[in-house]
Amino acid sequence: MSSTYADVIVDITHEKLDRSFQYLIPPELEGKIVPGSQVRIPFGNSNRSVTGYVLSVGNQAKYDESRMKTIQGLSPDGVTVEAHLIALADWMRHTYGSTMIQALRTVLPVKTKAKGKKIRKIELLITKEAASELKKECERKKYRAKERLLDELIEKQVIDYHDAVSRLGIPVNTLRGMEEQRVLCIRQTNIWRNPVLLPEVEEVSFALSSQQQLVAEGIKREWQQRGRPCLISGVTGSGKTQVYMELIADTIAKGRQVIVLIPEIALTYQNVARFCARFREKVTMVNSRMTREERADQMERARLGEVQIMIGPRSALFTPFPNLGLIIIDEEHETSYKSEATPRYHARETAICRARLEDARVVMGSATPSVDAFYQCQKGEFALFRMQTRYGKAMLPKVWIADMREELKQGNRSILSRKLQQKMEEHLERKEQVILFLNRRGYAGYVSCRSCGHVMKCPHCDVSLTAHNNGMLICHYCGYEREQVTRCPSCGSPYIGGFRAGTQQIEQMIKKTFPEKRILRMDGDTTRSKDSYDEILGTFSKGEADILIGTQMIVKGHDFPNVTLMGVLLADLSLNADSYRAGERTFQLLTQAVGRAGRGAKEGTAVIQTYHPEHYSITAAVSQDYEAFYREEMEYRQLLGYPPAANLMAIHGAGEKEEHLMEAMEYVRRFLIRINRSDQVQMIGPAKESVARISDLYRMVLYVKAADRELLLRLREKLEQYIEINKGFQSVYIQYDFNA
Ligand code: ADP
Ligand code: ZN
Ligand code: ZN
């Protein structure tokens, strides 16, 4: 069924997004007008013809049709980047569940009122000889001002307008007159708030290794043949960045632009400098430490074609390049690529959609690809490229496992295993550096046995139970509850309980063990200020400290050639997070952490401390064998119907009154059962969320599983309509999340 009405907007700035107008679609354009279409419309009282963008189409008139104006036709001036971004927003709205305005706010660049400063310059247009002639003439005629100006211009060619008027005292009329005579021109240029300081390194371009060459050529062949998204699965230190650079060079040589997504945490000076060294002023970046205005400026420069390469985190995906050719997603597995604000989009999926709309390419890379992306390779949706050795002579590190159950048996209650302590002494003795990584993801209070490693899990969902203050253990998927245990159900040991350790306590302990060593700590507390992150890394990198203790922040994207030992203090914290992705996160964190050691000429060593030495996430990380991990993990996902084996929609509810919220969520569940009698969907919950209350709002979640994603999207659309007309939901906020 084709649509009869279109919502059209004329001014697409964030402030005006709610001011769209409904127009009639003329019969000859029915079916041809979609969100993003640029149309000519009669506008305002005078009905002058202007260009507008279609935000949505539908069959419901918002007001009396006889007063509605009709779209005149499609706009003749080609498709702009704004049109593409609107179409992208429409896809996001549909795929992730949000209003069109929320989606548009996410994709459209912010237009700031305070524009970048402009400055004016005066440039000499005639030759120096001609100018000297003219100067002599002015001397004779005693045109003193002109004489002074020409003097200055002969010397410098270009001078500052403001300076000419104030310091040289040249009347504005004189300048205009000379401009008319084409002696000079007055140019206006933008001064951008440009944060990218080009590093003072020499322009470098490496020769690719044969492994890098093979992958780069393979990807270019894929571009010519099928154009599928490409995934580079390359061990840490294999040199993926050089491959990206080759592909970037190829793309900008064709006059197209490139977006490089790097997780915020890895957007370090060191990383960005590598791109600047090669591509110079073609590069710009955005990050969260820049002001809103600075970021807006970089987006504007991209739109105007002043830069060709944008480096940034998730949000850089919406850079308004006029002719986008390539999107690179480095560290593709990172959780920060998933937005936590509605629409809760995933940058990988959204990049692929944008690339399809603009005929661009997508290349992803990781040493530990997400199970989702690797699954797409297995299905043939993505093309897979492997890099199995490190660049140059660097070897993958040698990894030891310390079984902490054994340590306890031997009477060692310290946080350091004997192996790790011994290795630390050896490496520090040799004046090499050590990183201690405290895996703190999934901190949320699981319960485990220190004697046998047993973890209290939900019998239905196979995820860890979380201890609550009321003495209960709760599953955050299905709501299953049981009483807290005092003895291990598996071995009877009394050493069972929650696990808590902070970086600060660990720092104090390490200080006691190694009193004469210089220790740095890096976590959320020590990196709160704007530059402290780079400062700590800088200090460590210059060798001004021996031991760096930190959370996952230290795991990403830093090359410290003198770090030869990586100690992972508690591998299991993330393993026991209350999420079906716990095993995946653990494998990723451990592999990336281990991969930090031995990146220089010296061999690297790592010690992983764990209560689960036999778990596949840990054994696969030890051997840096991604595919071994993937096979086990997919079996688990298939068995329990978790993504990517199935699709999982989370319906999050929040409300001020707990009873009211519980009732509303129960209505949601019943409604979904009513409209879907087939056995194609399975529901779990509703249950309290892992953080059950945030700023006085109670939170609950209901999971809906189905093989078919479109089926879930249809259910959501019906549910949205139900909620909109149902008074009981007025004080409950509902949000959706797909495959989180
Ligand atoms: P990855 O991102 O795959 O972990 P990097 O791109 O950081 O690996 O490369 C690892 C190291 O090898 C870096 O120090 C990089 O400068 C170096 N390197 C990679 N490829 C080359 C090359 N072709 N020529 C010279 N050095 C290279
Ligand atoms: Zn036990
Ligand atoms: Zn459960």
Side-chain angles (χ1 to χ4, degrees), residues 63 74 80 97 133 336 338 341 357 360 427 476 490 495 520 544 585 607 660 683 702 710:
Y63 59 98
L74 285 164
T80 61
E133 283 304 306
S336 61
K338 172 85 168 36
L357 290 167
H427 286 252
H476 290 299
S490 177
Y495 293 114
L520 277 177
E544 290 165 13
R585 294 274 169 275
V607 178
H660 190 149
M683 260 175 278
L702 172 69
E710 284 301 316

XYZ file of all heavy atoms in Angstrom, residues 63 74 80 97 133 336 338 341 357 360 427 476 490 495 520 544 585 607 660 683 702 710:
181
model
N -4.246 16.634 9.981
C -5.290 17.656 10.036
C -6.085 17.604 8.737
O -5.798 16.765 7.869
C -4.698 19.052 10.307
C -3.699 19.530 9.287
C -4.101 20.399 8.267
C -2.366 19.128 9.348
C -3.177 20.846 7.329
C -1.451 19.572 8.421
C -1.857 20.437 7.417
O -0.960 20.866 6.483
N 10.048 16.040 -6.925
C 11.341 15.731 -6.323
C 12.307 16.846 -6.675
O 12.241 17.430 -7.762
C 11.859 14.390 -6.842
C 11.156 13.165 -6.253
C 11.435 11.921 -7.079
C 11.561 12.933 -4.807
N 21.806 14.866 -1.434
C 22.811 15.415 -0.524
C 23.079 14.451 0.613
O 22.323 13.509 0.838
C 22.326 16.731 0.103
O 21.144 16.443 0.832
C 22.045 17.775 -0.949
N 14.108 1.078 17.480
C 12.986 1.541 18.262
C 13.235 2.889 18.904
O 13.862 2.972 19.953
N 55.794 49.479 -9.883
C 55.434 50.568 -10.796
C 54.319 51.431 -10.204
O 54.402 52.651 -10.149
C 54.952 49.993 -12.144
C 56.075 49.499 -13.048
C 57.114 50.597 -13.313
O 56.712 51.701 -13.767
O 58.313 50.365 -13.017
N 31.811 -0.275 23.420
C 31.433 1.131 23.286
C 30.834 1.433 21.908
O 30.347 2.531 21.684
C 32.632 2.034 23.539
O 33.637 1.776 22.594
N 28.242 0.192 20.935
C 26.800 0.090 21.142
C 26.367 1.293 21.957
O 26.922 1.563 23.014
C 26.530 -1.206 21.910
C 25.144 -1.423 22.379
C 24.313 -2.040 21.285
C 22.988 -2.542 21.811
N 22.398 -1.734 22.839
N 22.042 5.143 24.679
C 20.935 6.101 24.651
C 20.038 5.762 23.464
O 20.515 5.312 22.434
C 21.470 7.519 24.522
N 23.640 2.790 1.719
C 22.935 3.953 1.190
C 23.843 4.815 0.315
O 23.392 5.442 -0.635
C 22.398 4.816 2.337
C 21.244 4.254 3.156
C 21.036 5.060 4.426
C 19.962 4.246 2.319
N 29.342 2.969 -0.178
C 30.690 2.979 0.411
C 31.023 1.571 0.907
O 30.202 0.672 0.824
C 30.738 3.974 1.565
N 61.445 -9.842 36.087
C 61.371 -8.797 35.060
C 61.804 -7.443 35.601
O 62.487 -6.687 34.913
C 59.957 -8.731 34.477
C 59.655 -9.873 33.554
N 59.563 -9.733 32.184
C 59.456 -11.191 33.809
C 59.305 -10.915 31.642
N 59.222 -11.818 32.601
N 19.115 -11.993 36.757
C 18.583 -10.789 36.140
C 18.007 -11.016 34.754
O 17.637 -10.079 34.076
C 19.642 -9.699 36.125
C 19.896 -9.193 37.496
N 18.905 -8.609 38.230
C 20.978 -9.241 38.291
C 19.384 -8.306 39.417
N 20.640 -8.681 39.480
N 28.942 -27.258 46.129
C 29.713 -28.218 45.370
C 30.744 -28.958 46.232
O 30.859 -30.172 46.155
C 30.413 -27.492 44.217
O 31.209 -28.378 43.503
N 34.404 -21.095 52.409
C 34.987 -19.928 51.734
C 34.176 -19.543 50.506
O 34.686 -19.510 49.388
C 36.429 -20.207 51.322
C 37.369 -20.362 52.500
C 37.977 -21.585 52.772
C 37.635 -19.267 53.324
C 38.832 -21.728 53.845
C 38.492 -19.411 54.404
C 39.084 -20.636 54.668
O 39.928 -20.770 55.731
N 52.415 3.213 39.312
C 51.382 4.126 38.800
C 50.050 3.399 38.814
O 49.993 2.197 38.579
C 51.672 4.515 37.355
C 52.642 5.646 37.063
C 52.799 5.759 35.562
C 52.127 6.945 37.644
N 59.362 6.206 33.455
C 59.470 6.855 34.757
C 58.724 6.114 35.860
O 58.562 6.624 36.960
C 58.991 8.313 34.654
C 59.969 9.166 33.859
C 59.391 10.500 33.426
O 58.320 10.875 33.936
O 60.015 11.145 32.564
N 33.364 -11.489 26.651
C 34.103 -10.337 27.217
C 35.413 -10.794 27.846
O 36.439 -10.147 27.734
C 33.293 -9.663 28.315
C 32.045 -9.016 27.883
C 32.262 -7.590 27.409
N 31.038 -7.140 26.774
C 30.719 -7.358 25.508
N 31.582 -7.988 24.721
N 29.583 -6.963 25.004
N 50.948 -13.690 33.002
C 50.451 -14.651 33.992
C 48.981 -14.339 34.223
O 48.617 -13.200 34.515
C 51.212 -14.548 35.330
C 50.634 -15.537 36.340
C 52.703 -14.789 35.117
N 3.392 -0.338 40.482
C 2.836 0.110 39.219
C 3.686 -0.404 38.047
O 3.185 -0.903 37.047
C 2.821 1.646 39.233
C 2.058 2.216 38.098
N 1.376 3.395 38.177
C 1.872 1.762 36.843
C 0.811 3.633 37.031
N 1.088 2.664 36.200
N 9.461 -15.908 25.971
C 9.624 -14.751 26.842
C 10.296 -15.126 28.144
O 10.064 -16.207 28.684
C 8.276 -14.125 27.126
C 8.071 -12.908 26.242
S 6.457 -12.236 26.438
C 5.532 -13.294 25.392
N 12.090 -7.211 30.471
C 11.446 -8.413 29.936
C 12.192 -8.772 28.650
O 12.391 -7.920 27.800
C 9.974 -8.103 29.625
C 9.167 -9.164 28.888
C 8.933 -10.386 29.780
C 7.819 -8.603 28.453
N 12.762 -9.691 12.196
C 11.623 -8.903 11.712
C 10.372 -9.159 12.548
O 9.579 -8.258 12.782
C 11.352 -9.198 10.232
C 12.338 -8.531 9.282
C 12.365 -6.997 9.413
O 11.280 -6.391 9.489
O 13.476 -6.433 9.469
